[in-house]
Amino acid sequence: MKTMLAPSMMCAPIDKLALVLDTFEKCGIEYLHVDVMDGVFVPNLMLGTDYVKQLRKLSRIPLDIHLMITQPEKKISWFAPQPGEFVSVHYESTHDFRGALEAVKACGAKAMAAINPPTAPYVLEPVMDLLDGVLVMTVNPGFAGQKAVPQAITKIAEVRALLKEYGKDDLPIEVDGNCSFEKAPEMRKQGANIIVCGSSSVFVKDRPMEEAIAAFREAVG
Ligand code: DX5
Ligand code: ZN
């Protein structure tokens, strides 16, 4: 399964956005990870509907919209998800997990189920028929720059085994949170194949972005 990179756009410096997007296109970046936060489901406010719509005009790279908002089932249409895009919905953010995933698919986008570090993989079983992917959080969502929870890294393999059990082993597993040069190879080995690249990889301060991307691809394999 091909490893794909999804840089976390909340880490992109706003004053260099055009340059960053140009670099991503040159480097064959596969998705743009857009963290949407409402300040209720997570203790932070980040990127919104207008940012998503503007970003589509600025780049051809498909979006990977990570919704960290309450009652997402009522708000999916606000983001006008497009075919080819991922939209991830947190199990922990709604009483209508199925409805939220169905709302994503109704827009023609790919439905991704997101689970936080304390959440066990079995919660995915009742929605397995709807899934186009799984997002395994290795930090508690809300901020970049946190340290990964070790048990969440090993949980990736449990999710991969569960997908296999349901004949869905071809589905992508995305991993999000402190996917660093040191930790991402283990995350890949555990079965993740879409890696969210944030402050500890693509947006590291001490090396040019193109070099960081090439080195990270090398490191992850
Ligand atoms: C955190 C976000 C992540 C975050 C990743 O809630 O979902 O996408 O931006 O940043 P790092 O890689 O620095 O943890
Ligand atoms: Zn995210």
Side-chain angles (χ1 to χ4, degrees):
M1 198 173 244
K2 179 177 181 285
T3 305
M4 295 184 271
L5 303 187
S8 175
M9 296 309 292
M10 73 181 268
C11 300
I14 194 77
D15 61 330
K16 297 192 180 67
L17 190 56
L19 180 65
V20 165
L21 291 173
D22 187 47
T23 303
F24 286 171
E25 298 216 5
K26 279 199 196 107
C27 296
I29 290 294
E30 289 85 359
Y31 287 97
L32 300 179
H33 184 83
V34 182
D35 288 309
V36 178
M37 302 181 188
D38 65 0
V40 178
F41 177 62
V42 292
N44 194 3
L45 272 171
M46 188 54 70
L47 308 183
T49 53
D50 191 58
Y51 180 90
V52 167
K53 288 173 187 160
Q54 294 299 327
L55 192 57
R56 283 195 188 103
K57 292 181 192 147
L58 293 172
S59 176
R60 292 186 299 263
I61 300 174
L63 304 191
D64 161 39
I65 303 167
H66 179 190
L67 295 181
M68 289 163 274
I69 61 177
T70 57
Q71 296 186 314
E73 65 278 4
K74 296 181 178 157
K75 305 166 186 171
I76 299 291
S77 61
W78 297 3
F79 299 88
Q82 301 297 308
E85 294 183 346
F86 276 111
V87 178
S88 55
V89 170
H90 270 268
Y91 163 76
E92 305 89 354
S93 69
T94 172
H95 295 299
D96 187 4
F97 195 32
R98 274 194 80 84
L101 294 165
E102 282 166 344
V104 172
K105 295 179 83 79
C107 296
K110 295 185 280 188
M112 191 170 253
I115 51 174
N116 282 335
T119 303
Y122 72 78
V123 306
L124 301 170
E125 295 190 62
V127 295
M128 196 57 80
D129 58 309
L130 294 174
L131 297 188
D132 297 305
V134 179
L135 170 59
V136 177
M137 291 303 296
T138 39
V139 296
N140 285 306
F143 298 91
Q146 300 180 84
K147 287 289 165 239
V149 175
Q151 294 80 352
I153 297 177
T154 49
K155 186 169 75 173
I156 297 168
E158 292 170 46
V159 172
R160 185 53 73 193
L162 187 67
L163 291 177
K164 205 175 180 117
E165 194 185 314
Y166 278 82
K168 298 208 136 191
D169 193 25
D170 60 329
L171 288 191
I173 297 177
E174 182 171 27
V175 58
D176 184 4
N178 191 213
C179 302
S180 63
F181 279 87
E182 300 72 35
K183 292 178 188 151
E186 177 58 22
M187 294 167 169
R188 178 75 185 91
K189 216 165 93 199
Q190 291 284 332
N193 72 301
I194 302 179
I195 316 283
V196 172
C197 309
S199 60
S200 52
S201 59
V202 162
F203 293 101
V204 286
K205 301 264 185 267
D206 60 353
R207 59 201 304 188
M209 183 170 278
E210 267 181 87
E211 188 196 303
I213 293 170
F216 191 68
R217 281 199 194 276
E218 184 70 27
V220 176

